[in-house]
Amino acid sequence: MSVHGKMEVELEVKVSAAQFHEVVSFRPHHISNMTPDHLQGVDLHEGEWGKQGKVISFNYVHDGVPKVAKDRLEVIDDVNYLSSYRVIDGDPLKEYKDLLVTVQATPKGDGSLVKWTFEYEKLNPDVPDPQSLLDYVVTVSKGIDDHHTTTAN
């Protein structure tokens, strides 16, 4: 029996929607410089940075454990500052048959509102919802924001 779910979280950041989108869509390999305690590296496996269809792997620490996720950039929308990554290999697939991560930054005042959406299918009903992964992307988002607001001053 498969269990499908969808979880969302929104947070306000001081960085512009365009800057946030630029980092998560075109330069995710720079995030490890911004949040080195959470993301150790991002490697390109197929395609080109910033292009739909690229395949990248994230080496990250989640709940104190080093992990890897290989993702394909399925959607990149520069008008709406939206990107969707599908996990195609790695640690998240030990619990989820399918995991699609969408991030959208919307201008709000001098900063932006960042919305993360996880659409998933659990391997079995005993697998927890990906709340800790959602908390993780919030922490990384705050790191991106802190990096940009600190270096801008």
Side-chain angles (χ1 to χ4, degrees), residues 1-152:
M1 174 181 156
S2 66
V3 180
H4 294 270
K6 181 176 180 179
M7 298 180 74
E8 299 177 335
V9 66
E10 290 183 336
L11 69 144
E12 286 187 42
V13 294
K14 296 178 212 86
V15 67
S16 73
Q19 284 179 303
F20 195 89
H21 177 68
E22 169 75 20
V23 170
V24 298
S25 302
F26 295 91
R27 297 183 298 118
H29 51 294
H30 290 195
I31 299 172
S32 59
N33 297 327
M34 300 173 198
T35 62
D37 291 341
H38 303 287
L39 187 64
Q40 281 66 54
V42 179
D43 298 310
L44 180 68
H45 291 276
E46 294 176 24
E48 296 177 41
W49 292 114
K51 300 288 185 185
Q52 196 164 304
K54 76 178 174 189
V55 175
I56 57 178
S57 64
F58 293 91
N59 295 299
Y60 62 104
V61 175
H62 176 242
D63 291 338
V65 178
K67 297 186 177 182
V68 176
K70 188 183 273 189
D71 298 3
R72 181 186 326 49
L73 179 62
E74 294 203 340
V75 175
I76 187 166
D77 179 346
D78 296 332
V79 173
N80 295 302
Y81 304 122
L82 179 140
S83 297
S84 292
Y85 287 89
R86 183 170 309 277
V87 178
I88 59 173
D89 196 8
D91 288 293
L93 296 185
K94 293 177 182 175
E95 295 182 309
Y96 303 96
K97 182 177 181 180
D98 188 39
L99 179 60
L100 179 69
V101 178
T102 301
V103 58
Q104 182 173 19
T106 304
K108 183 176 182 185
D110 291 335
S112 57
L113 184 65
V114 174
K115 180 178 181 180
W116 289 90
T117 304
F118 284 21
E119 296 175 70
Y120 56 92
E121 181 181 356
K122 299 177 184 183
L123 287 175
N124 66 64
D126 297 328
V127 170
D129 291 328
Q131 182 62 53
S132 67
L133 282 173
L134 209 55
D135 295 342
Y136 173 85
V137 296
V138 167
T139 299
V140 170
S141 298
K142 289 177 181 177
I144 293 168
D145 188 42
D146 289 346
H147 174 81
H148 278 85
T149 55
T150 302
T151 57

